[in-house]
Amino acid sequence: MNDISDAFAAAFAMVAGFDKDLAEIVGLSLEVSLSAVFIATVIGLPLGAATALFRFPGRKVIIVVLNAFMGLPPVVVGLIVYLLLSRAGPFGVLGLLFTPTAMIIAQVILVTPIIASLTRQVMEDLWREYEEQMRSLGAGPVRSLTALLWDGRFSLFTAILAGFGRASAEVGAVMIVGGNIDHATRVMTTAIALEVSRGDLALALGLGLILLVLSTCVNGAAFLIRDAAQKRHA
Amino acid sequence: MNPRADILPLVLDDVSFEINGMRLIKDLSCTFEAGPRTAIIGPNGAGKSLFLRLCHGLLTPSAGTIRWAGPDGANSVTAQAMVFQRPVMLRRSVAANVDFALKLRDHGKPDRTVIIDEVLGRCGLRRLKDNPARVLSFGEQQKLALARAWALKPQVLFLDEPTASLDPAATHAVEEIVQAIHHEGTRIIMTTHDLGQARRLADEVIFLHRGRMLEYAPTETFFTEPKNDLAQAFVKGELLWWKLGKDNRRAGGYEIDKAPRRRN
Ligand SMILES: Nc1ncnc2c1ncn2[C@@H]1O[C@H](COP(=O)(O)OP(=O)(O)OP(=O)(O)O)[C@@H](O)[C@H]1O
Ligand SMILES: [Mg+2]
């Protein structure tokens, strides 16, 4: 009991005092996850929108694959990326294994299907409603697409937040491809896993608290956005 | 009145439309010249909305041709507008809904501001211009859809039951707007269930029944002496499916088929 309350006190002290190690880990976590989400958004939004609006060969395959990949276990993604980037693998020469870049790659693979699938659902619903009106007004594919992205912006933003939620919470993939190297590839989730197993509860708890606050903020933001959008556009 | 007639006439030649083997529009031929206002009437499920969609180019006929035969017929898309039975509101403000349509026609910003203010004013929506369109009442949405179509100054305007579910005052307001649009030279082709409205607004009436055009006549003639006995029954307010019974009937030279009856 004492251990735990001591750990809590130490954790609060670290967070409040902007502990250097802690800040470094949080910084890297955000850097990796935000980069991954940014890249996944750039790929996922147009991909999801295109599969919703246009009929092209391979569309069904893409949809099935995206849906299947939505629930991909992070350790499996980590393993695959590890194999691809390991020295014997096809991309071994790039020397990316155990770098933040490798972690970003793994998270992009985890997050892109989520953003693309949610985007497709949002866009399909909107398109069903808008299609005839758009065609009646003489809007071409590009104008229709941009109009849909704009009108669906609130829902799309929550899709992106869902992607960020997944990226910042997962541990399996970044652990395998990053290696949890101190001052190089250690992020919040891998640090927590390590510190708990080593018995340093203070750092683990401090990181855990930050992660908790972060995910609460993300979920809260998603809720508020959806709520505001519903009030405005019924 | 000064009819602009660049894309008209609209010529339908033996047009049929089917979905999954069901023929929903059958062997329909007619020509819409510039000038008069046309009302399409007929029971629920007769094919009125499908007919408008075919004319507007949203559906492609399964057989037959639909052609804008005027000198500018090739540019027919941007010269038409349609107001749907269920208004489609973009998730934007009232003014932005009109603005979006105008942008698609490459109107400049100052131009758009003037037109938006004008059409919203004339449709009684000016005070709502910054409200989100989707929280408007149904009647207001219908007026906005009309304002948006009007802003485009189309040569041909298709209206699918523009006053269904409006209160009498709103119905009157919408009819006035339709008249104003007509006086600006726009060709009006509309559907309605309100026979009084057809009398008030239309110069000619088309009677559709189960996908067939059974009568196409000047309004006056149609209401005083409809040739087709189904049209007659409809005008008198008799239920059509009731009368269509046991045997195949001939009506106005058309064979009425024995398709399973649809009750709405
Ligand atoms: N996409 C579709 N698939 C199958 N059947 C359809 C489809 N669209 C329309 N129909 C059928 O075609 C018929 C004509 O439909 P339409 O909407 O044109 O009727 P309407 O005359 O406009 O009726 P209302 O007065 O109720 O608006 C109906 O029986 C309808 O069920
Ligand atoms: Mg209809």
Side-chain angles (χ1 to χ4, degrees):
Chain A
M1 215 43 230
N2 226 10
D3 271 3
I4 295 181
S5 53
D6 281 354
F8 259 111
F12 275 116
M14 281 176 107
V15 175
F18 292 107
D19 183 81
K20 208 172 110 289
D21 284 352
L22 186 107
E24 190 184 335
I25 292 172
V26 173
L28 183 66
S29 298
L30 288 177
E31 187 192 320
V32 168
S33 294
L34 288 174
S35 309
V37 168
F38 177 76
I39 297 168
T41 302
V42 171
I43 303 170
L45 272 193
L47 190 65
T51 48
L53 262 67
F54 309 126
R55 302 287 173 266
F56 51 89
R59 171 176 168 271
K60 291 223 169 91
V61 177
I62 293 178
I63 292 175
V64 172
V65 168
L66 286 178
N67 279 338
F69 276 30
M70 262 177 96
L72 224 52
V75 280
V76 174
V77 172
L79 181 62
I80 294 167
V81 175
Y82 180 91
L83 292 174
L84 291 174
L85 297 182
S86 68
R87 209 167 291 157
F91 302 106
V93 285
L94 300 176
L96 289 177
L97 199 60
F98 305 131
T99 65
T101 309
M103 297 154 79
I104 293 173
I105 292 172
Q107 292 204 336
V108 166
I109 296 173
L110 279 171
V111 173
T112 303
I114 293 183
I115 295 182
S117 289
L118 293 177
T119 300
R120 183 178 60 80
Q121 278 162 27
V122 171
M123 299 298 262
E124 258 176 9
D125 290 347
L126 263 183
W127 187 231
R128 202 168 298 132
E129 192 185 325
Y130 280 15
E131 181 179 5
E132 284 201 319
Q133 185 67 62
M134 288 292 165
R135 288 176 54 207
S136 169
L137 291 172
V142 176
R143 301 297 272 273
S144 302
L145 193 78
T146 48
L148 252 65
L149 286 172
W150 178 250
D151 281 17
R153 63 193 178 279
F154 296 110
S155 312
L156 294 178
F157 195 66
T158 54
I160 294 169
L161 285 180
F164 181 71
R166 171 132 156 124
S168 57
E170 73 86 20
V171 54
V174 283
M175 181 73 97
I176 294 178
V177 302
N180 193 25
I181 303 166
D182 205 4
H183 301 302
T185 60
R186 182 159 300 172
V187 291
M188 286 192 272
T189 53
T190 58
I192 291 173
L194 177 74
E195 302 306 337
V196 169
S197 64
R198 278 207 317 210
D200 182 355
L201 287 183
L203 184 56
L205 264 175
L207 290 168
L209 282 175
I210 293 175
L211 207 51
L212 202 68
V213 169
L214 196 68
S215 87
T216 309
C217 287
V218 168
N219 280 310
F223 174 79
L224 289 178
I225 289 168
R226 194 170 304 155
D227 196 49
Q230 241 150 33
K231 276 205 196 90
R232 272 189 58 186
H233 297 290
Chain B
M1 201 184 75
N2 167 37
R4 290 169 295 161
D6 289 338
I7 63 169
L8 288 160
L10 171 63
V11 183
L12 283 81
D13 186 25
D14 215 13
V15 171
S16 291
F17 179 75
E18 60 175 69
I19 296 179
N20 307 327
M22 275 188 297
R23 290 184 75 211
L24 300 169
I25 295 286
K26 298 164 193 162
D27 315 319
L28 212 146
S29 299
C30 65
T31 301
F32 292 106
E33 301 284 354
R37 295 153 295 177
T38 309
I40 300 163
I41 62 173
N44 290 131
K48 303 181 295 298
S49 297
L50 287 178
F51 179 73
L52 287 191
R53 283 191 170 84
L54 282 162
C55 290
H56 189 35
L58 295 175
L59 297 173
T60 314
S62 323
T65 56
I66 298 178
R67 201 159 50 86
W68 294 93
D72 201 22
N75 298 319
S76 65
V77 173
T78 51
Q80 316 167 38
M82 176 157 171
V83 174
F84 293 90
Q85 197 164 350
R86 286 190 206 106
V88 181
M89 297 287 108
L90 305 182
R91 285 161 177 72
R92 304 170 186 214
S93 72
V94 167
N97 262 272
V98 182
D99 196 48
F100 178 78
L102 287 171
K103 268 193 218 145
L104 288 172
R105 297 288 197 276
D106 298 325
H107 286 278
K109 175 83 180 143
D111 207 14
R112 298 204 302 269
T113 314
V114 173
I115 299 176
I116 291 170
D117 191 61
E118 188 206 336
V119 294
L120 290 185
R122 289 177 74 173
C123 293
L125 295 169
R126 196 177 274 144
R127 75 193 162 82
L128 299 171
K129 75 179 169 48
D130 294 320
N131 287 24
R134 293 171 62 87
V135 299
L136 296 182
S137 80
F138 191 81
E140 288 164 345
Q141 291 193 5
Q142 219 150 11
K143 280 192 233 168
L144 175 54
L146 195 60
R148 186 171 57 194
W150 190 10
L152 301 176
K153 307 287 176 224
Q155 290 180 34
V156 180
L157 176 58
F158 297 99
L159 301 167
D160 200 351
E161 297 187 29
T163 60
S165 74
L166 293 191
D167 68 46
T171 301
H172 181 72
V174 165
E175 287 186 6
E176 303 253 277
I177 295 167
V178 172
Q179 293 292 32
I181 296 175
H182 166 65
H183 285 299
E184 285 178 7
T186 294
R187 174 70 158 96
I188 305 279
I189 302 176
M190 64 185 290
T191 70
T192 182
H193 282 298
D194 179 345
L195 299 182
Q197 179 170 76
R199 277 205 185 85
R200 288 190 295 276
L201 287 186
D203 304 301
E204 53 184 30
V205 173
I206 288 177
F207 179 67
L208 279 190
H209 182 257
R210 289 206 195 149
R212 283 188 202 282
M213 185 189 290
L214 297 186
E215 189 141 357
Y216 186 179
T219 307
E220 186 57 26
T221 323
F222 181 86
F223 283 108
T224 48
E225 45 191 279
K227 283 196 210 58
N228 181 285
D229 57 353
L230 284 164
Q232 225 163 44
F234 188 76
V235 168
K236 278 194 274 171
E238 290 169 42
L239 291 174
L240 290 176
W241 61 268
W242 222 109
K243 284 198 77 185
L244 276 175
K246 315 106 214 174
D247 41 33
N248 231 358
R249 298 173 50 158
R250 293 191 63 85
Y254 291 94
E255 190 97 303
I256 307 297
D257 57 5
K258 272 196 211 151
R261 270 176 267 124
R262 230 180 275 273
R263 267 159 293 168
N264 283 295

